[in-house]
Amino acid sequence: MRVTSVNHILYRVWDVEAAYGFFVDVLGFAPQKRGNIWYARLGDVLIEFARTDPPAEPPTQYLFGLRVEDLDQALSELASRGVEIVRPVFEGTSFWGRQVVVAVPGAPPLALREWRAPDGPAFEGWTPRS
């Protein structure tokens, strides 16, 4: 068997319309509804929005991260749209670069990550900062 790529990620949300709108209208994902399943597509990866009960407390842990080219520019755009920062920008501990955690309406937060060259998803020469 050979796995060739990530196909879809199940994202359990308590407000499908709000979370889906955030991904499509704010983040620029392509809408990809199929029957009664709501997907938002980025490249060949689908985020599947599945309903769950709202949590008792607002979640602070993100479930996955997205890569951005310019974190400062992304934050400026998100601020202009009133997006809440759950965890301010911080230096990565397992990668060279910066990350921020943002709130998603009706859903768990997500991370936005900016890699610093030469690091990236396939870089093998990473070492911790000294």
Side-chain angles (χ1 to χ4, degrees):
M1 174 176 71
R2 182 171 173 255
V3 176
T4 59
S5 67
V6 173
N7 178 29
H8 75 287
I9 297 168
L10 184 67
Y11 190 37
R12 295 196 177 278
V13 304
W14 47 96
D15 187 335
V16 171
E17 293 82 2
Y20 186 79
F22 181 81
F23 274 75
V24 172
D25 299 333
V26 176
L27 299 179
F29 280 59
Q32 189 84 22
K33 291 183 188 175
R34 294 187 176 204
N36 63 351
I37 300 175
W38 295 48
Y39 292 110
R41 180 178 55 79
L42 182 64
D44 289 336
V45 177
L46 298 169
I47 305 298
E48 179 182 344
F49 296 82
R51 282 191 207 282
T52 191
D53 292 329
E57 299 278 327
T60 57
Q61 285 288 83
Y62 65 90
L63 299 180
F64 62 93
L66 302 172
R67 182 178 184 173
V68 297
E69 289 183 12
D70 184 332
L71 190 58
D72 294 324
Q73 188 240 349
L75 286 170
S76 177
E77 286 184 35
L78 293 173
S80 74
R81 294 173 173 263
V83 174
E84 176 191 349
I85 303 300
V86 174
R87 181 175 177 196
V89 176
F90 59 96
E91 290 288 320
T93 56
S94 64
F95 70 99
W96 293 332
R98 301 179 306 148
Q99 184 166 293
V100 67
V101 180
V102 299
V104 176
L110 62 87
L112 299 177
R113 177 177 283 189
E114 174 190 86
W115 294 92
R116 187 173 63 238
D119 201 358
F123 181 66
E124 294 184 13
W126 182 84
T127 57
R129 288 185 314 241
S130 44

